């Protein structure tokens, strides 16, 4: 099951809709999106639109998915981290050189850089579909929460940041 990260209709450009249609036609792939049911976006009939979900419902959805497909926006939203925490592999869009957003080279640089086993990159734009298909073929579902997201490691990262900022490293 592939969950599409994004519920704003603006993220569903014609090229994104075409990519979702291609993915949803693959054998053994179910595509689910929390795109509001009232959103004026025409998706293929086989794509499951849940509409807005409560936090618990969204987490339940992520818990049954194998992949979370980023569309490039929102930048650094919580869904990437939530998806990885629930065992999804983030299919992470990479911005073309010179088109970085706020210094970011992908939708989720943190996951890309620090939890690479939970990440699979694809290039936004032309050729993106091939990259997404490769991510679906080559990446297997993860088991358990990556060590980088466990509370003790999070606390260590925060401590390191504060030590560096206020203690000079």
């Amino acid at each position: 099951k592939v969950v599409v990260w994004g519920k704003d209709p603006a993220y569903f450009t014609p090229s994104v809709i075409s990519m979702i249609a291609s993915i949803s036609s693959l054998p053994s792939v179910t595509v689910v999106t929390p795109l509001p049911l009232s959103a004026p976006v025409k998706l293929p009939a086989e794509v499951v639109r849940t509409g807005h979900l409560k936090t618990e419902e969204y987490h339940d959805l992520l818990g049954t998915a194998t992949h979370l497909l980023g569309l490039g926006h929102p930048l650094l939203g919580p869904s990437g981290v939530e998806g990885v925490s629930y065992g999804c592999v983030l299919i992470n869009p990479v911005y073309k050189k010179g088109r970085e957003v706020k210094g970011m080279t992908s939708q989720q640089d943190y996951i890309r850089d620090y939890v690479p086993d939970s990440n699979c990159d694809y290039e936004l734009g032309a050729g993106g579909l091939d990259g997404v298909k490769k991510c679906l073929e080559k990446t297997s579902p993860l088991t358990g929460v990556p060590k980088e997201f466990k509370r003790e490691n999070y606390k260590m990262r925060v401590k390191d940041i504060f030590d560096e900022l206020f203690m000079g490293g």
Side-chain angles (χ1 to χ4, degrees):
K1 184 184 294 184
V2 178
V3 175
V4 177
W5 172 8
K7 57 185 177 276
D8 185 333
Y11 306 151
F12 291 81
T13 63
S15 62
V16 165
I17 292 169
S18 175
M19 179 173 63
I20 290 171
S22 294
I23 296 166
S24 67
S25 69
L26 295 171
S28 304
V29 174
T30 300
V31 177
V32 181
T33 177
L35 181 69
L37 300 172
S38 61
V41 175
K42 182 144 176 61
L43 293 173
E46 56 273 0
V47 174
V48 178
R49 281 173 77 159
T50 62
H52 179 75
L53 297 172
K54 294 178 182 170
T55 301
E56 305 81 33
E57 295 170 324
Y58 187 60
H59 290 168
D60 287 346
L61 174 62
L62 292 173
T64 64
T66 56
H67 294 81
L68 179 66
L69 173 62
L71 302 179
H73 296 284
L75 188 64
L76 284 176
S79 287
V81 172
E82 289 171 326
V84 168
S85 293
Y86 280 89
C88 295
V89 171
L90 174 63
I91 303 176
N92 193 8
V94 176
Y95 306 117
K96 292 182 181 184
K97 191 159 181 73
R99 308 250 334 173
E100 295 87 355
V101 179
K102 297 182 181 179
M104 304 284 291
T105 59
S106 72
Q107 187 171 1
Q108 257 293 353
D109 281 354
Y110 176 80
I111 292 172
R112 183 179 191 212
D113 295 342
Y114 294 100
V115 195
D117 291 342
S118 305
N119 182 77
C120 185
D121 290 343
Y122 80 96
E123 189 170 310
L124 279 172
L129 176 59
D130 292 337
V132 170
K133 284 181 177 178
K134 285 180 183 172
C135 288
L136 292 172
E137 291 170 6
K138 293 184 175 184
T139 312
S140 61
L142 303 171
T143 57
V145 176
K147 67 181 186 316
E148 293 81 1
F149 292 160
K150 292 193 175 175
R151 183 172 295 280
E152 60 272 12
N153 292 318
Y154 173 77
K155 286 180 178 178
M156 288 179 63
R157 283 195 312 277
V158 171
K159 181 185 178 309
D160 289 347
I161 290 168
F162 279 94
D163 283 351
E164 188 176 314
L165 287 172
F166 298 110
M167 308 298 257

